Amino acid sequence: QIPVELAQEYGIHVIPQTLVWGTETFKDDVDITPTEFYDRLRDDPVFPTTAQASELEFQELLTSVGADAEEGVLVMVLSGELSGTFNSATQARKLLPEMQIEIVDTRTMAMAMGYVALAAARAAEQGKSLAECVQVARGTMDKVGVYITVDTLEYLHRGGRIGGARKLLGNALNVKGVLTVKDGVVAEAGKVRTRKKAIRHVVDLVLAEVEGKDNIRLAALHAAAPDDAAVLLEMASERVNPVEKHLAELSPVVGAHVGPGTVGLVWCTD
């Protein structure tokens, strides 16, 4: 979910995941936009599935990018516990033994992974070596996090990504779960009775995480819920005055696992 303008500014290349809908295949946020996806999701009886970026896609991009790389290429992937993307990248690296390729499993997702990538890209722009950029990325992993609240746990359950939040399923109709990604997997971070309280709880959790920290960055995420995400971002920003903030719509592949109505907040500190 890195904003397009930031990806272009820092030369970050994004390999889209794959969305499979019946007999149709789409490249995430390329062949199908979030708006098109969520509109169809509400009415289509067929449930979409997802697939990781392939070994071939990694090989092709690494070959292209590597041709102009002075030292090597740094690859950042979402949590290996949530996707096989890390394996695809690893297999592609084996096919390119002449290239220096470093792969970092960020153990997180969405813009939390985005902030890890941005930290490394900014280090590269400052002239840091590939090894130093890897160190920056790994160090930033301890300084980012994400909290989300979903309208229903149905999508996470269907997609098999429910993780440590499984115990919420029994009373899912009566609560709004607040979730996080911990040690690479989805975990429960609280449960409340209403959506309004869930949004407040997300803000409170993030404020507790960033208390006393410097250079706070925030990103609100949403799945077809821009107004709630804007409120979430404003509530948090009023309290911490972030040096950087973004509002991003979750892409179709992520949306297929969390469902429409999901909102969340990502934080990052120095």
Side-chain angles (χ1 to χ4, degrees):
Q1 262 62 68
I2 290 179
V4 174
E5 63 273 13
L6 282 179
Q8 292 175 343
E9 179 182 353
Y10 292 103
I12 297 171
H13 301 264
V14 179
I15 298 181
Q17 307 281 38
T18 299
L19 182 77
V20 181
W21 214 329
T23 59
E24 297 175 273
T25 300
F26 304 92
K27 291 302 178 187
D28 192 32
D29 213 6
V30 175
D31 300 327
I32 184 169
T33 67
T35 299
E36 292 168 339
F37 170 75
Y38 293 116
D39 284 347
R40 178 173 170 178
L41 187 65
R42 292 185 180 94
D43 301 320
D44 198 321
V46 177
F47 189 75
T49 58
T50 61
Q52 71 223 42
S54 70
E55 173 187 319
L56 178 60
E57 288 173 295
F58 270 102
Q59 183 184 8
E60 289 176 346
L61 182 59
L62 286 167
T63 300
S64 172
V65 173
D68 296 323
E70 293 180 7
E71 185 178 353
V73 183
L74 175 53
V75 179
M76 233 81 61
V77 297
L78 78 160
S79 171
E81 302 291 337
L82 298 175
S83 168
T85 310
F86 179 81
N87 292 331
S88 292
T90 302
Q91 292 303 313
R93 179 172 60 184
K94 291 179 181 178
L95 298 174
L96 300 167
E98 72 284 358
M99 286 180 59
Q100 181 65 28
I101 301 169
E102 296 287 348
I103 305 171
V104 173
D105 179 348
T106 65
R107 307 290 290 165
T108 189
M109 55 166 279
M111 192 56 193
M113 179 178 75
Y115 276 132
V116 176
L118 279 171
R122 285 164 172 160
E125 189 178 62
Q126 294 166 7
K128 302 291 186 183
S129 68
L130 180 59
E132 289 172 322
C133 290
V134 171
Q135 284 186 319
V136 168
R138 296 194 185 284
T140 304
M141 286 166 55
D142 296 326
K143 302 170 185 175
V144 301
V146 57
Y147 290 101
I148 65 170
T149 180
V150 296
D151 253 5
T152 171
L153 292 169
E154 175 188 3
Y155 295 91
L156 279 165
H157 182 50
R158 280 189 186 183
R161 268 46 172 213
I162 193 76
R166 189 176 303 279
K167 59 186 176 181
L168 286 174
L169 281 172
N171 55 1
L173 295 177
N174 302 318
V175 302
K176 295 295 182 184
V178 176
L179 310 172
T180 188
V181 177
K182 185 176 182 181
D183 298 326
V185 300
V186 175
E188 180 191 348
K191 50 189 176 183
V192 295
R193 290 292 178 185
T194 68
R195 182 172 177 84
K196 186 176 180 180
K197 288 181 179 178
I199 289 174
R200 166 53 66 184
H201 190 52
V202 167
V203 173
D204 288 343
L205 286 169
V206 171
L207 292 177
E209 294 279 8
V210 303
E211 185 176 2
K213 306 291 179 58
D214 296 321
N215 294 325
I216 298 164
R217 297 173 173 84
L218 298 175
L221 309 173
H222 73 91
D227 293 342
D228 283 349
V231 168
L232 191 64
L233 186 59
E234 184 60 26
M235 287 171 64
S237 297
E238 286 177 351
R239 299 282 297 276
V240 300
N241 190 28
V243 297
E244 183 178 357
K245 61 181 180 179
H246 305 285
L247 182 65
E249 187 163 24
L250 290 167
S251 70
V253 162
V254 181
H257 291 293
V258 297
T262 296
V263 292
L265 197 60
V266 172
W267 56 269
C268 178
T269 64
D270 281 355

